[in-house]
């Protein structure tokens, strides 16, 4: 039986003196599940992801990932943002290697990098080559981010994250800035990669269709404060012909109704 | 093939400069305007001796000022660029201080720091400080929070952030600001060296040659000072292209 991957226990989080974004909020994700988090602007979906990534700390309650309380970015969690976060002065290959370079700097200390054996430079290079090939950007290895298209940049960011061999993939609107064909390519790629690497994944999106394609389960956030998780089961995930299937439109409409009258939550 | 054409450019520039100088020498035809053919031999004759010592003194002062300004201004610029609140507090002060011609503070600096080599270095460093501070601050402010967050999510703590983000982000800014202000710092050096020292090209040009009507020697000094500016500029330009390769790709 699969264990728990993410466990939020009664967390409360607020920015400054504002109303809390999460108020005694609990939520659980089982290993290898794929979740989509959806909600209007300002509902706290990015905050939730940053909390999971260890970039923010709840004021009360606890967040456990793989049984460990998250107090700082966890080496086995991969984070992909809409703003790909590539170093503009480094090439594709150097960017893809950055995570491994950082691990080499600290050594296997269990804080910045997983404890255990130090990574052999030869194996690191093989891993980078593997992911550059797998993401179809091996030919671009000596290019700088400024020379790439949006989709190629995001592929580089994905390669950089997967080279660290994470067990949990956190994505914040990763494809929102891309044109439709590129977005669909990358969505399909994420589905394949998730399968290949046995990943648990949480994707934040404002796009209902993207949420229903990538999330086996949907978590809907509303206007703060969020108190209880609103969850939808989604049997249509990863199915290209979901539009033709009975029930898809009904689910779509239910999610949309749940999102309420928020205009940002468009298709 | 950018390097050869650039080298050719420099050579063409030197030739044109020499030709213009020669024409002026013919036209003016007075001792104050000797021809390059008279000055250049004097320059090479004096360079291993007296002129070389003055050139070394000036070079040392400029390099020391660059080092002093960089190690103080770059970290402060980084800090202000990354900490918006702090920047908002200090911005009015910087905005007011930046355009003040710092050279007018020379007497004050002499009184406070004493008539020493250090006060001259300090004056130049003070000017460079603001140039570097502002460019590095703006560069650091342009580092998007998402970039920092995603690098942190790769496991980077303070040390890795400094090494892989802040340092490479501010180095180009330091080089850019130095390249722009190297001419200014040599001009200030020239003024600062005219008095209260026995070494430096400013002293050599004004006191040792101009005031005793040694015009050819004076021009050798001017040539040395120009070369100092030129060489520093090209070194900084070269470093800038090395560090900033991503900006020079098509």
């Amino acid at each position: 039986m699969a264990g728990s991957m993410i466990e939020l226990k009664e967390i409360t989080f607020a920015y400054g003196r504002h109303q809390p974004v999460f108020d005694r909020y609990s939520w659980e994700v089982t290993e290898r599940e794929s979740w989509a988090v959806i909600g209007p602007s300002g509902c706290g979906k990015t905050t939730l992801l940053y909390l999971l990534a260890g970039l923010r700390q709840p004021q009360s309650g606890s967040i456990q990932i793989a049984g460990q309380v998250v107090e700082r970015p966890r080496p086995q969690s991969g984070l992909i943002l809409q703003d790909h976060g590539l170093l503009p002065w480094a090439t594709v290959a150097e960017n893809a290697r950055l995570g491994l370079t950082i691990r080499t700097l600290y050594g296997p200390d269990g804080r910045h990098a997983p404890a255990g054996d130090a990574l052999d430079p030869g194996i690191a290079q093989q891993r980078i080559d593997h992911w550059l090939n797998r993401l179809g950007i091996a030919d671009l290895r000596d290019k700088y981010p400024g020379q790439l298209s949006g989709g190629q940049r995001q592929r580089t960011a994905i390669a950089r994250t997967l080279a660290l061999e994470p067990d949990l993939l956190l994505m914040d609107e990763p494809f929102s800035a891309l044109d439709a064909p590129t977005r669909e390519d990358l969505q399909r790629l994420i589905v394949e990669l998730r399968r290949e690497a046995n990943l648990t994944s949480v994707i934040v999106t404002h796009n209902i269709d993207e949420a229903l394609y990538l999330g086996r389960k949907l978590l809907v956030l509303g206007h703060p404060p969020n108190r209880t998780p609103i969850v939808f089961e989604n049997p249509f995930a990863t199915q290209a012909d979901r539009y033709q299937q009975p029930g898809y439109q009904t689910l779509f409409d239910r999610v949309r109704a749940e999102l309420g009258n928020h205009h940002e939550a468009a298709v | 093939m950018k390097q050869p054409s650039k080298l050719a450019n420099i050579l063409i520039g030197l030739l044109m400069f020499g030709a213009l100088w020669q024409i002026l020498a013919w036209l003016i035809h007075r001792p104050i305007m000797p021809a390059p053919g008279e000055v250049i031999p004097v320059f090479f004759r004096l360079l291993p001796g007296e002129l070389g010592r003055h050139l070394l003194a000036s070079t040392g002062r400029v390099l020391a000022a660059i080092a002093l300004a960089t190690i103080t201004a770059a970290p402060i610029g980084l800090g202000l660029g990354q900490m918006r609140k702090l920047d908002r507090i200090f911005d009015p002060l910087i905005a007011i201080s930046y355009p003040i011609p710092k050279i007018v503070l020379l007497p004050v600096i002499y009184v406070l720091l004493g008539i020493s080599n250090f006060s001259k270095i300090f004056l130049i460093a003070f000017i460079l400080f603001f140039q570097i501070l502002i460019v590095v601050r703006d560069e650091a402010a342009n580092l998007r929070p998402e970039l920092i967050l995603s690098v942190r999510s790769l496991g980077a703590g303070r040390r890795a952030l400094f090494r892989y983000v802040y340092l490479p982000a501010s180095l180009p800014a330091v080089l850019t600001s130095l390249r722009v202000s190297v001419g200014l710092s040599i001009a200030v050096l020239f003024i600062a060296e005219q008095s209260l020292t026995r070494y430096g090209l400013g002293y050599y040009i004004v006191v040792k040659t101009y005031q005793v009507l040694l015009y050819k020697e004076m021009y050798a000094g001017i040539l040395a000072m120009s070369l100092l500016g030129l060489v520093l500029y090209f070194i900084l330009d070269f470093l800038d292209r090395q560090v900033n390769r991503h900006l020079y790709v098509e």
Side-chain angles (χ1 to χ4, degrees):
Chain A
M1 195 188 128
S4 166
M5 189 54 155
I6 301 175
E7 209 175 345
L8 265 62
K9 281 187 195 150
E10 306 224 317
I11 63 150
T12 298
F13 180 87
Y15 288 101
R17 285 155 182 264
H18 293 274
Q19 191 174 38
V21 183
F22 295 101
D23 186 11
R24 299 171 65 95
Y25 193 81
S26 299
W27 176 51
E28 197 177 341
V29 171
T30 305
E31 271 176 12
R32 297 199 199 165
E33 277 182 338
S34 39
W35 282 76
V37 180
I38 190 161
S41 297
C43 68
K45 33 188 208 302
T46 295
T47 304
L48 176 64
L49 209 71
Y50 285 179
L51 284 164
L52 297 179
L55 296 166
R56 302 257 185 278
Q57 300 301 321
Q59 276 96 24
S60 68
S62 77
I63 299 176
Q64 290 197 5
I65 293 187
Q68 300 279 313
V69 174
V70 180
E71 285 166 339
R72 65 168 58 79
R74 172 178 170 271
Q76 298 87 353
S77 296
L79 179 67
I80 295 169
L81 306 177
Q82 179 185 343
D83 179 305
H84 42 77
L86 301 177
L87 304 174
W89 51 80
T91 62
V92 166
E94 288 163 353
N95 267 299
R97 189 184 246 283
L98 181 63
L100 292 174
T101 309
I102 291 170
R103 284 193 180 177
T104 310
L105 177 77
Y106 288 109
D109 62 358
R111 280 158 58 104
H112 306 90
D117 295 328
L119 191 64
D120 177 73
I123 293 174
Q125 191 54 49
Q126 278 174 21
R127 248 201 242 174
I128 299 300
D129 291 339
H130 166 77
W131 286 110
L132 290 178
N133 279 315
R134 178 65 187 85
L135 285 149
I137 48 174
D139 293 344
L140 305 170
R141 58 186 312 136
D142 295 322
K143 299 271 186 202
Y144 292 97
Q147 298 171 287
L148 306 179
S149 70
Q152 290 166 338
R153 281 180 209 168
Q154 203 52 282
R155 281 171 187 267
T156 309
I158 296 171
R160 178 177 74 176
T161 301
L162 294 182
L164 294 178
E165 302 192 331
D167 53 18
L168 172 64
L169 193 57
L170 305 169
M171 295 169 279
D172 186 15
E173 305 266 7
F175 313 130
S176 302
L178 305 174
D179 58 61
T182 311
R183 187 166 63 228
E184 283 158 21
D185 273 355
L186 284 176
Q187 286 169 348
R188 272 195 296 275
L189 183 68
I190 286 293
V191 170
E192 291 170 24
L193 294 173
R194 241 169 22 190
R195 243 177 240 143
E196 288 167 26
N198 282 324
L199 292 166
T200 309
S201 73
V202 177
I203 183 168
V204 159
T205 177
H206 65 276
N207 181 318
I208 301 176
D209 187 54
E210 180 166 273
L212 289 173
Y213 180 60
L214 290 175
R216 179 71 62 189
K217 290 185 172 179
L218 263 62
L219 178 68
V220 180
L221 297 181
H223 281 301
N226 287 287
R227 293 206 168 90
T228 40
I230 303 160
V231 176
F232 287 88
E233 296 280 338
N234 170 29
F236 305 100
T238 74
Q239 294 181 24
D241 65 346
R242 58 192 179 282
Y243 305 108
Q244 279 82 45
Q245 296 191 34
Y248 179 76
Q249 193 57 44
T250 317
L251 178 62
F252 189 101
D253 291 341
R254 277 176 57 213
V255 173
R256 165 165 250 175
E258 186 61 48
L259 284 167
N261 299 320
H262 307 296
H263 297 290
E264 300 90 335
V267 182
Chain B
M1 297 315 260
K2 270 180 185 160
Q3 288 315 97
S5 75
K6 210 177 164 218
L7 198 65
N9 229 354
I10 296 171
L11 286 175
I12 292 168
L14 282 176
L15 281 175
M16 285 168 73
F17 184 83
L20 197 67
W21 181 1
Q22 182 66 58
I23 291 165
L24 277 173
W26 276 328
L27 288 175
I28 295 169
H29 202 68
R30 283 170 55 192
I32 188 65
M33 198 72 224
E38 298 171 87
V39 172
I40 290 165
V42 175
F43 173 80
F44 282 109
R45 183 164 50 80
L46 293 175
L47 193 61
E50 196 190 3
L51 180 60
R53 281 199 298 278
H54 292 291
L55 176 60
L56 273 181
S58 294
T59 310
R61 282 174 185 144
V62 175
L63 292 181
I66 287 177
L68 181 61
T70 305
I71 58 171
T72 50
I76 297 175
L78 263 176
L80 290 177
Q82 282 291 297
M83 290 176 260
R84 301 282 150 88
K85 277 184 196 158
L86 210 61
D87 187 35
R88 246 174 270 142
I89 296 171
F90 286 104
D91 185 55
L93 178 66
I94 294 168
I96 289 292
S97 320
Y98 176 65
I100 293 176
K102 315 303 177 288
I103 184 124
V104 299
L105 299 173
L106 184 58
V108 182
I109 291 171
Y110 277 144
V111 172
L112 289 179
L113 295 179
I115 296 162
S116 62
N117 228 346
F118 181 70
S119 37
K120 296 183 198 309
I121 292 168
F122 182 86
L123 175 68
I124 300 165
F126 194 45
I127 292 166
L128 293 174
F129 176 85
F130 280 92
Q131 307 282 344
I132 297 171
L133 179 74
I134 285 179
V135 182
V136 170
R137 180 195 64 182
D138 295 349
E139 198 66 30
N142 281 336
L143 281 177
R144 286 187 302 266
E146 289 81 6
L147 176 70
I148 310 288
L149 288 176
S150 52
V151 177
R152 276 181 60 200
S153 81
L154 296 173
R158 245 176 275 250
R159 191 150 62 100
L161 275 181
F162 178 77
R163 171 92 160 66
Y164 300 115
V165 181
Y166 292 128
L167 187 67
S170 53
L171 202 56
V174 170
L175 288 172
T176 307
S177 47
L178 283 178
R179 202 181 48 173
V180 172
S181 45
V182 70
L184 177 66
S185 57
I186 288 173
V188 170
L189 180 71
F190 174 70
I191 294 169
E193 282 181 344
Q194 285 175 22
S195 59
L196 305 172
T197 179
R198 309 211 125 266
Y199 278 104
L201 289 169
Y203 173 76
Y204 179 79
I205 292 168
V206 174
V207 180
K208 293 281 278 186
T209 56
Y210 164 70
Q211 289 175 356
V212 292
L213 309 181
L214 291 168
Y215 290 138
K216 282 175 206 160
E217 287 75 4
M218 180 186 86
Y219 271 93
I222 293 173
L223 206 58
M225 205 146 205
S226 311
L227 281 175
L228 175 57
L230 206 63
V231 169
L232 278 180
Y233 181 87
F234 280 121
I235 290 173
L236 290 167
D237 188 56
F238 173 76
L239 289 177
D240 185 36
R241 279 167 193 279
Q242 290 299 305
V243 170
N244 266 336
R245 249 176 248 161
H246 66 289
L247 296 180
Y248 293 99
V249 288
E250 82 308 343

